[in-house]
Amino acid sequence: MAAELHVELVAADRQVWSGEATLVVARTTSGDIGVMPGHQPLLGVLESGPVTIRTSDGGTVVAAAHGGFISFADNKLSLLAEIAELADEIDVQRVERELETAKAEGDASAERRADVRLRAVAAR
């Protein structure tokens, strides 16, 4: 079993993060899943939620991902999200304003996206 896996986190408009990791945790339609080197091959549907990547150098990368797919084979993990952003890129004050607006307008989808972004920031 290899000590690390190669991870690609890609959004529809850009590559968000790429590198070596020892563990990736993401939310799928079947629930949260952790993928480590040597995991059995998998293909799943991503739910909106934070993605946590434990890097090979001992660091942690957290991103907010909204929908998409996850696949793993041959120690290569691909997370193909409709929308994804690193927690470090998220402007908390702007997201809090967006959350309040979404609640006031009854926009459940926008409220869920804002909530995921805030949870990603809190998890980093």
Side-chain angles (χ1 to χ4, degrees):
M1 179 162 105
E4 56 188 32
L5 55 105
H6 184 74
V7 179
E8 296 282 337
L9 173 57
V10 180
D13 60 343
R14 68 186 179 118
Q15 181 176 36
V16 179
W17 190 86
S18 176
E20 305 305 311
T22 58
L23 171 69
V24 177
V25 178
R27 173 142 310 157
T28 70
T29 53
S30 300
D32 288 350
I33 187 168
V35 179
M36 297 175 68
H39 194 283
Q40 69 183 27
L42 98 100
L43 179 61
V45 177
L46 284 175
E47 287 283 319
S48 291
V51 172
T52 303
I53 303 167
R54 304 289 161 141
T55 63
S56 294
D57 63 6
T60 301
V61 174
V62 179
H66 307 279
F69 298 94
I70 181 172
S71 71
F72 181 77
D74 300 324
N75 278 330
K76 294 178 184 151
L77 179 70
S78 297
L79 299 140
L80 309 170
E82 294 172 21
I83 302 169
E85 59 189 317
L86 296 174
D88 294 339
E89 300 172 340
I90 297 171
D91 179 342
V92 175
Q93 292 177 336
R94 185 186 62 165
V95 174
E96 288 172 342
R97 287 191 304 271
E98 291 171 1
L99 179 59
E100 291 305 314
T101 301
K103 285 180 180 180
E105 295 176 355
D107 186 344
S109 180
E111 188 175 338
R112 186 173 53 254
R113 282 191 308 273
D115 179 62
V116 166
R117 293 167 72 203
L118 291 173
R119 286 190 292 137
V121 169
R124 69 175 166 180

